[in-house]
Each structure stands twice: as C-alpha cells, then as structure tokens.
Amino acid sequence: MNKHTAFPIIKKTVRSTLSENLNNYTKAQSLTLASELKVETRKSWKKDQLTQVLAESIQKQFSQFYKPVVEDLLSQFGDQVEQALAFQNVEQIEVLAPLINKGFLFVYQQQDRLILVIPDEIWTDLWHDEEVEEVSFEIDSSLLVEAQAEKEKSSDYKILKKWKENAMRIYGHASSVYFSTIWNKYYDEKLTSEQIEDILNR
C-alpha cells in the first residue's frame, strides 16, 4: 500500500459513528482535519474534546454546504451505494479525497482491500427525506433581479456561492448547468442554468 496517499488510511477496526471514526485518527491527523475544516483548537484539549468539536463541525458543514456535492460524487459509484464500500486500490477512490479530508468519509485498510465508510450521521442526513424538506424554501424567480440588492443577506445566494466555492475546490471548475441540476433536486422553485449564472455573476 502506498504510504503517500492524498488522504488518511486507518489500519484499525472499522467503525460506524462519526465520533468512533474520528477516535481512530491520530492526534496529528485530527489536527490536520481541524485545519481543513477551519476549526480553532487548543493544545490543552484532550482527544475526546477535540473529537467532539470536529464531529459537530463536520455535521454542520455537511448539512449546510456539502451535502449536494457528496451526493453527486457518490452517485458515480452507482445507485446502490452502501454505507461501507470495498475497493481494491487507492486510485478507485482518489476522486473522493477532498471529502475524506473534510471528515465526511473515512477509509480503512482491511487485509488487501480498502473500505470506504460513510459515518452513521452523514449516511442518515444523505438519505433522510425530512432533512431535505427541512432546508427547503421557495424562491420567486420573478423577483431575482430585485433580490440582488439583498444578495449578501440572502440565504439562497450564500448557499449557491458556497456550492460554487466547493465545486471549484473539488473539480477545479464550476458549471451553472451542474448547479441548476443540484438546486432543482432540493428546492421547489426550479431555476435554469442561465438564472443561476446571472445570480452568481452579479
């Protein structure tokens, strides 16, 4: 197994909850994750306290910003995505490295296989319909132009802007067609790629 991978590989017993997976990281790996999440830490913190803060930040960032990105990338592995997936080599999951380094996914080495684990909390959030309904709200397309004056205060604009930032970081580019597809999965008011492009460019 190549030691110089783009993400941590855990050589311990596979766990299911977010806290259990985080506890399988070394302190150095946890601090690297904290830096990736932009979480402030203290040297005096014990591992349990660091794990709790990281778990809270991971769940919050996932629900608010990364859920559509994670869902889109996991869709590349087929419709029957399971909470634990086995792979033969690192190259098969390198596309998920940015999400692994954010703590949304974990990778274990089990004999000659790699096991990709989606923690319980992330798994539940991904497939729980009530969570989708909870963040849904309507946007009146006819008021988009007027809404630009308040765009810095507008939650829908901030979400689109964050999606764009995440896509640029992960894919290296951002497509208004991609954002339109993702947006229309989660919001009642449908937006075309041209409308989304207009929102992001103003």
Side-chain angles (χ1 to χ4, degrees), residues 5-80:
T5 57
F7 50 82
I9 296 178
I10 304 170
K11 298 180 180 180
K12 297 181 180 180
T13 303
V14 175
R15 299 298 183 183
S16 62
T17 71
L18 186 53
S19 293
E20 289 172 339
N21 282 288
L22 288 170
N23 279 329
N24 274 342
Y25 272 176
T26 65
K27 186 171 184 180
Q29 290 171 330
S30 296
L31 291 174
T32 298
L33 176 57
S35 177
E36 181 72 23
L37 294 169
K38 295 181 172 56
V39 172
E40 295 185 3
T41 61
R42 297 180 181 178
K43 292 182 179 180
S44 61
W45 282 1
K46 295 182 179 179
K47 189 172 183 180
D48 288 346
Q49 187 173 5
L50 178 58
T51 294
Q52 180 181 352
V53 171
L54 288 175
E56 291 174 355
S57 179
I58 289 168
Q59 291 180 72
K60 181 178 180 180
Q61 291 194 33
F62 176 79
S63 297
Q64 291 185 346
F65 307 121
Y66 286 91
K67 183 175 179 178
V69 178
V70 174
E71 184 182 58
D72 182 65
L73 284 177
L74 289 178
S75 70
Q76 298 182 28
F77 297 98
D79 296 332
Q80 302 300 319

Side-chain angles (χ1 to χ4, degrees), residues 19-182:
S19 293
E20 289 172 339
N21 282 288
L22 288 170
N23 279 329
N24 274 342
Y25 272 176
T26 65
K27 186 171 184 180
Q29 290 171 330
S30 296
L31 291 174
T32 298
L33 176 57
S35 177
E36 181 72 23
L37 294 169
K38 295 181 172 56
V39 172
E40 295 185 3
T41 61
R42 297 180 181 178
K43 292 182 179 180
S44 61
W45 282 1
K46 295 182 179 179
K47 189 172 183 180
D48 288 346
Q49 187 173 5
L50 178 58
T51 294
Q52 180 181 352
V53 171
L54 288 175
E56 291 174 355
S57 179
I58 289 168
Q59 291 180 72
K60 181 178 180 180
Q61 291 194 33
F62 176 79
S63 297
Q64 291 185 346
F65 307 121
Y66 286 91
K67 183 175 179 178
V69 178
V70 174
E71 184 182 58
D72 182 65
L73 284 177
L74 289 178
S75 70
Q76 298 182 28
F77 297 98
D79 296 332
Q80 302 300 319
V81 175
E82 298 180 356
Q83 194 170 354
L85 300 168
F87 295 89
Q88 296 298 321
N89 55 66
V90 171
E91 289 73 18
Q92 291 177 295
I93 51 178
E94 280 184 337
V95 66
L96 300 175
L99 303 179
I100 297 168
N101 289 329
K102 287 284 186 182
F104 305 135
L105 308 171
F106 293 82
V107 178
Y108 288 80
Q109 182 178 348
Q110 300 290 299
Q111 297 181 350
D112 60 344
R113 295 184 300 172
L114 294 174
I115 308 298
L116 179 73
V117 175
I118 306 173
D120 291 343
E121 296 85 346
I122 301 299
W123 180 259
T124 300
D125 200 354
L126 271 173
W127 310 118
H128 201 302
D129 291 338
E130 290 183 7
E131 291 294 328
V132 174
E133 293 173 0
E134 185 176 305
V135 301
S136 295
F137 58 90
E138 293 186 357
I139 298 174
D140 187 349
S141 297
S142 66
L143 298 179
L144 282 177
V145 175
E146 180 182 338
Q148 296 310 309
E150 300 293 330
K151 66 183 181 181
E152 292 302 328
K153 300 178 182 178
S154 166
S155 60
D156 58 304
Y157 177 83
K158 289 182 180 179
I159 289 173
L160 283 170
K161 184 176 181 181
K162 193 67 180 181
W163 288 0
K164 180 179 179 180
E165 292 174 356
N166 293 339
M168 289 296 296
R169 187 180 301 111
I170 293 173
Y171 296 110
H173 63 88
S175 166
S176 58
V177 175
Y178 167 80
F179 291 128
S180 177
T181 300
I182 297 299

